[in-house]
Every structure is written in structure tokens, then in C-alpha cells.
Amino acid sequence: MNVSTQPLPVVTEPRHAPPNYLNDGYSVRSWLLTLDHKRIAILYMISITLFFFIGGAAAVLFRVHLLTPTGALFDPGTYNKLFTIHGVVMVFFFLIPSIPAVMGNFLVPLMIGAKDLAFPRLNLASWYVYMAGGTLTGYAAIAGGIDTGWTFYTPYSTMFSNTNVIAAATGVFITGFSSILTGLNFIATIHKMRAPGLTWFRLPLFIWAMYATSVIMVLGTPVLAMTVSLLGIERIFHVGIFDPALGGDPLLFQHLFWFYSHPAVYIMILPSMGVVSEIIPCFARKRPFGYKFIAMASVAIAMLGFFVWGHHMFVSGQSMYGGVVFSFLSFFVAIPSAVKVFNWTATLHKGSISLQTPMLYALGFIGLFTFGGLTGLFLACLGVDIHVTGTYFIVAHFHYIMVGGAVMGYLGAIHFWWPKMTGRVYSEFWGRISAAIIFVGFNLTFFPQFILGYLGMPRRYYAYPPEFQVLNVMSTAGASILGLGFLLPLIYLLWSLKYGKRAGPNYWKATGLEWTTQSPPETENFETTPEVVSEPYAYEFMELGNAD
Amino acid sequence: MGILLAAGHFQLFPDQASLFANDVDGLFFFLLTITAFFSILIAGLIVFFSVKYRRSVSPVRPPPPEKMWLELTWTILPLCICMVIFVWGARVFALAFHPPADALDIYVVGKQWMWKVQHPQGRREINELHIPAGRPVRLIMTSQDVIHDFFVPAFRVKQDVLPGRYTSEWFQATEPGEYHLFCAQYCGLSHADMIGTAVVMEPSKYAAWLAESPSGKSMTETGEALYRQFGCNACHGTKAPSLAGLFDSNVVLQNGQTVRADESYLRESILAPRAKIVSGYQTIMPTYKGQMSEEQLAQIIEYIKSLRAFREPEPEKKQ
């Protein structure tokens, strides 16, 4: 048997942890003015967790409302504000910053053997910019709310909505700069600060994913800023840009909005793909099958993602030929995603697999992302899109990508690197239970929505015909389970901070430079700059992980 | 035909009530098969590998060599499948853009939060759309305020309805009955109340229903009266191009381009006359923007369309 019998490092650890980034100063000032990428990652983690539960609470409320055909809880205006705040908060303040700003911040320097990001002050500024945007949007949500949907479609958002559009849009505008700055920082860091010997094709796949994501952030987000600015100009000064009554063109807004917001979907999913590419080799004790294909697929997705925005607009009034071209291009972006899925699956072949919590999330990710991706074909396919777009089918599809994909990836990352980030081990039992609850709750919430969508139930309806009730009740039941599933990690992870076993430097016996440091890493990351002399993921030479 | 399960209204599959529904559903089931195949393949492999190569029985092995043929297979094969879906999907999509020439034109105006429908014979309705079975129907749609979307799930058709322009959708209903009509583009407070019923009738019953029109005047008749009331006849035919035979003809513009005189062209020429100037004429026409309602505009357009039969020796061809 391969079970490790040597005593865990825990036993011999001194009572006080050696100097590390967490005990390097306890004052509020030492956190709020820190230039340490790891501490900034923690600041981000706390902030996005807060936004995640705000957005989640809104979702629970409107799912409960949808238990009855006439709506159980709210008046139409409140319902509209709830789904809008859910979308805006989850997309702009949770999903987009989630893995890049938390895990990317923490891991990029550690994985490439650097002491910090290239621009530590800029990194701290990014967090302040993010918080400024988040605060403003939070204010908008409380002071009157906003009811445009997260897509801000014109001319409704510019000339008709009586809600707090300007404050919310300004919040989104400001937060965009935090994305741009983070992306810049990562690109510069990955280019210039890799340890000696760490060539491009020795980089962890997570770094490739972060690099591709950063390119999208830097190229795409300025377009969001422009779009939101134009929206503000029309709403405040009544300059005809989007509203035909003023001489504008409403489709122009949709083109601009999706030019950013489609690539933004890849900002959300590419980092998760990077996480999965780290977890699977570790728990299969095997090099990733097709390393270069997985790496290049990330780059391909980042590039192709900029040429498919029009597939959100097949029934918008865009020309038939426009629709045909965007459909054609959209199918190409499916290919690198498929290549990744096949390579991950092949990595399992002849591995030595253990199903610990991070692996459960990674395998769950593959399953849900595959299903989400395949249902994306229905939407890229012009003939079927006519029927399913604007319905619950599309809601189900993008939640399979954004929750089944992006959130599962984020939770997988948290569970995988938690021992590194905190130096503590969480309860494996509760980890597995929660992963299972989230998987079941997720599918029960969103699978019925595919059927609802094909039946024709439009999204953003606060009331619906009675024949849709059974499926809505199922979805709400699933959402309650999912909500519980998301609360559990909050509890046992916090619990582990005080009561968890000490993790030791390399809890999973994983490859990668971040695991050569102590846990939690010291402020300077590495005592001496590491030198890389071999290929990544040499799991055949690693001893087995602790828990086995 | 919905698959009815148990009691009540519960359905797993929507009614099929148009020719187009068959085209969409055929494609849908093809995609469903592909989705089921690959989902089961991937999920099955994950479970199979996780059990077969579990840590307790499967030792760590040296990595296998990379297999280029495998990478190429799972790149090219999905690409081929995707191209089949693309071509099939584009063919169905193209159907939706090409209504038959004999389609019945019905005008739809969306506003927060209702659908206003005008039949050529003059009958109007709100939040209902009466149509004959077995005959292609084309909806010419616009909005008075924000973007809406005219969606009849049983017909599998959906099209955004925009302010400031016409968009259209067409279908040929097959089964008499009543079907849901939804607004499928979020349009504000009572978006979920912007719903109605598409009533498919036997053609004879539809004719009888049309005849019950309270005004008794067709859109063409009303449009002709408006045509005089707004003074269109003062210029058209003399200082301005004759409108006889204009509809559906090709118009040569001052800048040398040629455009087809469809509803959108007529609409633009009335509301923004300077946008497209007919070759050989002065830009003397004033705008009628803000002076007529969407319904009146549709009536005038319907009147101009009725003149298509009277095609004269075209004076506008002269330089």
C-alpha cells in the first residue's frame, strides 16, 4: 500500500507559527496599506465573499417568490430590482474578480518564483478601486435600487427606468479599472519575473490561464468603460446615442455591451479551467495529458472570444448575414473548450486517483462545464436560438457555465490552496459533504430551467402561467439546497483557521513552486530565488499526499 | 402535441402549432442527441476512471507519451459536428427570414406593457392575435418606447421589436387553438404582464371574425384618407415621385445606390425623408416624425402598398 506512515509535520510544529505573511503585523493599517500580494488576495477574498452572499441572498429571495405563478413575495418592481442586483453583483463584483483577484493575486508570484507582483502599489490600488465601485453599486442598490437587468439594455436604461441607473453604472465603470490594473500587473509579472529556468512551457497551466484572462481584461474592459460612459451621457444629457427617439440606435448599445460582456464570460471561466488543470494532475498523480494543447486552448479561447459577441443578438434585429457569421465563429470557440475537456479526462486514464474535496470540485466542474458547453451549442445554433434565447434555457445554460463552471472552480481552488494560504487543514468530511450538496442542489436548481426554457417561459418574469409551476418549485427547492451548500464551506473553513491541523509546506504533495514554501508562506515568499530545472507536474517523482 | 404527464397542465415539451416548429424541433432533437452522447461519454469516463484507477489499486505510473492522433481526433471531430450544426441551424434560420410572397401582413405595435395589433381589413385588437390556420402570416412590428420581443413558443418564433424601425417575423400556424404570447425582452416594471394569446382559427372563422370589425374600414381605406389629410397627394406624382407601383420595386437613389422599397424604406422616407433621396428629385419633403401615430403610419404604408398594382411607366427613372 502507498499509505504514508510517517508522522505528519503537524506533530513537530512549534506552538507559534514561524514568521509568515499572516503574522507579519496585526494592525488594521498593516492590512489596509499592505503591498504584499498575499494579503491583498485575502482582502479580495473577504470582499468578494461578502458580495457573493449579497448576490446569493437576492437569488434566494426571488426563487422563493417564484414558488407560485402569481409571485409569492414581492411587487413587480422589487422583483425586478432583485434579479438586477443579483446579476450585477455576481457578474461584476464576484465572478470577474473571483479567481483572478483572489487566487491569481496569491498564486501568480508564488507559482513563478517571484517575491511579489511587478507593481505592488498598483495591486493595492486595484483593490481600493474595486471597493469604491462596489460601494457605489451597493449604495445604488440600497438607495432606490436598479431595475434594468445586469445588461443595461437601452433605451430602457437610458430614457425609461426611474431607478438608480447612474450610480450602479458608475460603480461598474469604476470597478472595471480594477480589472484592467490587475490584468496589466499579471501580464507584466508573468513576462518579466519568472524564476530562472521557468520557460513558458514549464509554466503551470494556471499561469497560462491567468495570462489569457489578463489579456481579455486589458483589451475588453476599456470597451465596457466606453459603453457605460455613453449610457451615462444619454441618460444625463439626453444626447441621442442609443434611443431612436433622440436619433440613436439601440442595437449599437448591444454591440458595444457584448463586445465586452462575451469575452467577460471567458474572464470568468478561463481561471477555473486553470484551477482544474492544477487539481486534476495532483489527485490523479499524473502529468496533464496534452499540456501544450490545454495551454494553447486558453490562448485560443481568449482570442476567439472577441469575435463572437453577435451571438447574443440573433433575434435583436441584426441582419441575417450578421447572425450567420457570428454563429459560424461561435462554433470555433467551442473547439478549444472541447479539447480541454478531453485532455482533462484523458489525464485520469491510468492515474492514481483519490477523490478528496478539491478533486470532487474539479470533476464536478468538468461534468457541469461539459453540459453547460454542450447546451451552448443550442444557442450558437441559429435555428434553435430563435426559440430558446430570452427564455429560462439561456438562464440555465449560463448558470451551468458560471456557477457549475466558474464557482465550482473557485471553490476547488479555495479548497486546494487553503492549506497553503492559511497553513491549516479543513475538515475533509465536511468538505466532501458540501461538495456533494452543492452538486445536487445546483443540478436541481438549474436542470428544470432547461425544460422551462424550451417550454417557452421567458426570463425576468415575476409571474408566470400555472403550467410552469412544478418546474419552478423544483428549481426553488434546488436553490435552497444550493444555498445551504454554499454556507457550509464558510463555516468549516473559518473553523479550520483556529482549530484545523497545521498543514505543513506541501499538504497535497503537489508539484509547483508555491508548494516549496512554508505554509503560510513568509512575506518574501522565497528565501532564495528558486531555480527551475525540470518540466512541470512531475508527479511520478513525488511522494503521495498526506491524507492517503 | 405536448406530452401530458399526470394531472394538471404539467408539460415537458411545448405545443407544436406551426410549420416552423417542426424545423426547430428536428434540429433540437439532433442537438439533444449530441448533448446526451457527449455528456454521458465524459461523465461515464470520469466515473469509470475514478473507480478503475483509484489510489488503493492503481499505483503511480510514469506518464504516457503524448498522442498527437488523439489530440487531432478530438479537435477535428467536434469541429465537423459543429459545422453540421452550423449549416443546419443556418438553413432553419434563413427560413425565418424569408416569408412567402403571399403572406398575410399584420401590423403589431408594442408599448409598455401591451401589444396592439392591426389587421389589414381594419380590425384591431390588444394582447390578442387572431390568425387563420394554414396560411403564412407576416408580422410587421415596431415599438413606441423600449425594446420588446414578440414570442409565441408554440410557433417557435421570436423577434425583438424595436422603437424607430420595423422588424418582422412570420409563421404558418397549423393547429387551431389558443397559444401563449410572451414579451421576451425585458421591458420594465410589468414586463411579465405583457402577455397575450395567439388565437389560431379555421380560415372561414377568421374571415367571419374580421368582418365583425367595428369601424368597417380597411387599413387601405383609412390610409388613403390620411394620405390626403397629411397632404401627401400635393406633391407625389408631380414634384415628388409617384407612389404607384413603388412598393417592392427597386429605387435608384441620388448617390447611385439602389434600394428595395419595402415597409422599412417607406417608413424611413416618411419619418426621415432626407435619409434616402430618390435620384432626380429635390429634397423638399418635410418630416412627419411626431405628427402621426405608429398605427396611422402603418395605415398610410398599407395604402401605398395597395398601389403596387398600378405600376405606371416609371417617371422616377428619368434623369
Side-chain angles (χ1 to χ4, degrees):
Chain A
M1 296 299 287
N2 289 309
V3 175
S4 168
T5 51
Q6 70 194 76
L8 305 179
V10 184
V11 182
T12 52
E13 290 275 321
R15 249 191 87 217
H16 296 287
N20 62 57
Y21 83 100
L22 287 175
N23 61 19
D24 188 5
Y26 293 95
S27 64
V28 172
R29 182 190 160 88
S30 75
W31 278 93
L32 292 184
L33 293 181
T34 182
L35 299 180
D36 182 349
H37 66 101
K38 301 181 289 299
R39 284 196 163 204
I40 295 170
I42 300 295
L43 291 177
Y44 266 117
M45 184 191 270
I46 295 166
S47 334
I48 72 159
T49 304
L50 182 70
F51 281 110
F52 176 77
F53 282 101
I54 292 173
V60 167
L61 288 175
F62 65 66
R63 272 312 330 162
V64 172
H65 172 84
L66 290 171
L67 276 172
T68 66
T70 51
L73 291 181
F74 306 111
D75 60 276
T78 309
Y79 177 85
N80 295 344
K81 287 172 187 170
L82 280 173
F83 74 68
T84 301
I85 210 66
H86 170 71
V88 169
V89 165
M90 287 301 202
V91 169
F92 296 109
F93 299 99
F94 173 72
L95 285 165
I96 287 175
S98 63
I99 295 181
V102 178
M103 306 314 299
N105 244 323
F106 194 91
L107 291 170
V108 167
L110 282 167
M111 281 183 160
I112 65 172
K115 289 188 192 312
D116 207 315
L117 287 174
F119 309 112
R121 280 170 208 282
L122 203 58
N123 195 22
L124 182 63
S126 307
W127 181 73
Y128 277 102
V129 170
Y130 165 81
M131 288 309 287
T135 309
L136 193 54
T137 304
Y139 157 78
I142 297 163
I146 165 174
D147 73 342
T148 61
W150 78 278
T151 47
F152 298 107
Y153 266 24
T154 56
Y156 183 71
S157 62
T158 52
M159 302 306 290
F160 290 86
S161 173
N162 294 318
T163 56
N164 223 333
V165 179
I166 289 298
T170 309
V172 169
F173 174 87
I174 292 172
T175 300
F177 287 93
S178 130
S179 276
I180 296 171
L181 299 181
T182 301
L184 271 175
N185 221 337
F186 285 177
I187 290 172
T189 307
I190 294 168
H191 269 280
K192 303 304 288 182
M193 295 174 71
R194 283 172 286 129
L198 191 55
T199 58
W200 283 91
F201 284 117
R202 285 179 177 175
L203 284 174
L205 287 164
F206 180 78
I207 298 293
W208 275 102
M210 274 302 125
Y211 187 81
T213 307
S214 303
V215 169
I216 305 176
M217 285 171 156
V218 170
L219 293 182
T221 319
V223 180
L224 176 71
M226 296 172 205
T227 314
V228 170
S229 307
L230 292 173
L231 184 153
I233 290 169
E234 180 166 283
R235 188 169 167 95
I236 298 171
F237 304 111
H238 295 199
V239 176
I241 300 164
F242 304 124
D243 184 4
L246 300 172
D249 181 347
L251 288 189
L252 175 64
F253 177 84
Q254 296 177 27
H255 280 292
L256 290 168
F257 180 81
W258 291 116
F259 184 84
Y260 166 75
S261 293
H262 192 78
V265 173
Y266 301 115
I267 296 180
M268 304 174 209
I269 197 70
L270 276 170
S272 281
M273 292 170 155
V275 167
V276 168
S277 305
E278 297 297 316
I279 294 177
I280 296 218
C282 176
F283 291 89
R285 312 308 293 176
K286 197 160 158 272
R287 293 182 192 222
F289 195 90
Y291 168 94
K292 284 188 181 173
F293 289 89
I294 296 179
M296 286 302 129
S298 289
V299 178
I301 288 171
M303 296 300 141
L304 289 169
F306 277 105
F307 299 99
V308 301
W309 78 89
H311 69 210
H312 295 267
M313 301 168 61
F314 289 157
V315 302
S316 68
Q318 173 181 249
S319 88
M320 181 183 80
Y321 301 103
V324 169
V325 169
F326 280 118
S327 168
F328 180 73
L329 293 168
S330 298
F331 282 108
F332 278 89
V333 87
I335 305 305
S337 301
V339 166
K340 279 177 183 268
V341 167
F342 287 124
N343 277 298
W344 291 324
T345 310
T347 304
L348 299 174
H349 180 66
K350 296 197 175 174
S352 175
I353 299 169
S354 68
L355 298 176
Q356 284 157 300
T357 309
M359 186 62 158
L360 290 181
Y361 280 111
L363 297 182
F365 170 94
I366 301 179
L368 299 177
F369 174 74
T370 301
F371 196 71
L374 285 163
T375 52
L377 298 179
F378 292 71
L379 294 155
C381 172
L382 291 158
V384 175
D385 182 77
I386 295 178
H387 178 57
V388 294
T389 191
T391 70
Y392 266 82
F393 191 97
I394 203 163
V395 175
H397 157 73
F398 73 68
H399 281 88
Y400 266 77
I401 299 295
M402 292 185 186
V403 184
V407 177
M408 293 297 253
Y410 177 66
L411 288 173
I414 292 285
H415 285 84
F416 187 53
W417 281 289
W418 189 258
K420 175 54 59 187
M421 297 175 88
T422 66
R424 301 284 183 161
V425 181
Y426 53 84
S427 157
E428 180 63 24
F429 172 78
W430 283 108
R432 289 184 192 186
I433 294 280
S434 321
I437 291 176
I438 289 172
F439 187 82
V440 170
F442 172 81
N443 282 295
L444 185 57
T445 308
F446 293 106
F447 191 82
Q449 295 186 3
F450 282 117
I451 304 171
L452 271 178
Y454 205 74
L455 284 170
M457 179 167 165
R459 60 194 290 205
R460 296 170 169 172
Y461 266 33
Y462 63 83
Y464 53 84
E467 64 262 36
F468 298 147
Q469 189 177 11
V470 175
L471 290 162
N472 270 294
V473 170
M474 286 168 74
S475 184
T476 300
S480 335
I481 297 173
L482 188 59
L484 175 73
F486 285 141
L487 281 172
L488 282 175
L490 186 70
I491 297 165
Y492 65 74
L493 288 176
L494 289 176
W495 186 88
S496 78
L497 287 180
K498 191 156 170 62
Y499 303 104
K501 289 190 301 180
R502 292 205 188 272
N506 190 353
Y507 183 69
W508 308 110
K509 297 290 179 281
T511 63
L513 292 176
E514 78 272 28
W515 299 105
T516 63
T517 63
Q518 64 177 35
S519 302
E522 57 187 318
T523 303
E524 300 293 320
N525 291 350
F526 301 94
E527 277 171 25
T528 54
T529 302
E531 193 159 337
V532 179
V533 292
S534 63
E535 304 303 303
Y537 305 107
Y539 275 103
E540 64 273 23
F541 304 123
M542 295 295 288
E543 56 179 318
L544 288 171
N546 262 330
D548 294 280
Chain B
M1 260 187 19
I3 302 164
L4 291 170
L5 280 192
H9 305 282
F10 185 69
Q11 278 180 298
L12 278 179
F13 199 75
D15 293 328
Q16 276 186 327
S18 74
L19 289 181
F20 192 61
N22 293 319
D23 298 308
V24 173
D25 289 346
L27 184 53
F28 175 75
F29 282 113
F30 174 65
L31 281 162
L32 207 56
T33 311
I34 290 170
T35 300
F37 175 79
F38 281 102
S39 301
I40 293 169
L41 176 76
I42 296 295
L45 282 175
I46 289 174
V47 172
F48 176 72
F49 289 157
S50 299
V51 173
K52 182 163 184 207
Y53 302 113
R54 61 191 183 278
R55 181 77 45 90
S56 56
V57 298
S58 178
V60 178
R61 282 171 257 227
E66 305 237 318
K67 296 188 181 68
M68 188 51 113
W69 65 268
L70 206 50
E71 298 285 354
L72 288 177
T73 308
W74 63 45
T75 306
I76 293 167
L77 191 70
L79 187 62
C80 294
I81 295 172
C82 279
M83 285 302 103
V84 172
I85 302 172
F86 163 69
V87 171
W88 189 349
R91 289 175 67 106
V92 173
F93 191 63
L95 282 180
F97 277 83
H98 292 102
D102 64 338
L104 175 67
D105 287 344
I106 297 176
Y107 291 82
V108 174
V109 177
K111 62 170 277 193
Q112 288 175 323
W113 290 275
M114 65 168 79
W115 295 106
K116 297 186 289 183
V117 177
Q118 207 175 180
H119 294 258
Q121 293 80 354
R123 182 129 194 209
R124 298 198 203 180
E125 50 188 336
I126 286 178
N127 290 343
E128 289 198 334
L129 173 70
H130 286 73
I131 45 166
R135 172 144 189 219
V137 170
R138 183 171 68 130
L139 304 181
I140 299 160
M141 308 182 292
T142 189
S143 162
Q144 274 176 227
D145 37 49
V146 301
I147 301 175
H148 303 280
D149 187 294
F150 197 95
F151 177 34
V152 182
F155 299 165
R156 310 287 188 276
V157 290
K158 183 185 290 127
Q159 171 63 52
D160 279 7
V161 178
L162 279 70
R165 74 176 77 177
Y166 283 136
T167 55
S168 70
E169 75 186 36
W170 81 274
F171 43 80
Q172 179 169 333
T174 50
E175 296 286 321
E178 298 195 353
Y179 304 98
H180 285 303
L181 155 63
F182 294 128
C183 176
Q185 182 64 266
Y186 177 69
C187 58
L189 187 68
S190 298
H191 170 54
D193 292 331
M194 196 164 161
I195 58 177
T197 310
V199 183
V200 180
M201 312 170 90
E202 297 292 353
S204 57
K205 286 188 183 155
Y206 175 67
W209 178 85
L210 282 177
E212 289 167 25
S213 169
S215 79
K217 274 189 175 171
S218 72
M219 281 179 76
T220 306
E221 288 162 345
T222 320
E224 185 173 11
L226 287 169
Y227 185 78
R228 294 180 198 293
Q229 184 189 323
F230 282 107
C232 312
N233 55 337
C235 301
H236 281 283
T238 54
K239 286 183 278 183
S242 163
L243 301 181
L246 168 64
F247 182 71
D248 219 16
S249 68
N250 287 322
V251 179
V252 180
L253 303 181
Q254 218 169 40
N255 62 10
Q257 286 181 326
T258 304
V259 294
R260 202 174 72 87
D262 57 7
E263 287 91 351
S264 293
Y265 169 79
L266 297 181
R267 176 194 175 88
E268 183 184 53
S269 298
I270 294 168
L271 299 182
R274 280 156 199 266
K276 295 191 175 72
I277 311 291
V278 177
S279 172
Y281 286 93
Q282 298 294 309
T283 54
I284 52 170
M285 181 164 158
T287 174
Y288 285 85
K289 190 171 182 174
Q291 299 188 39
M292 56 179 77
S293 68
E294 286 292 349
E295 282 83 358
Q296 290 177 320
L297 185 57
Q299 286 154 355
I300 291 176
I301 288 173
E302 192 64 13
Y303 169 65
I304 296 171
K305 283 163 74 176
S306 76
L307 302 176
R308 82 177 98 177
F310 311 102
R311 194 162 293 189
E312 293 168 357
E314 300 177 354
E316 61 258 47
K317 282 276 168 72
K318 268 188 248 160
Q319 292 301 314

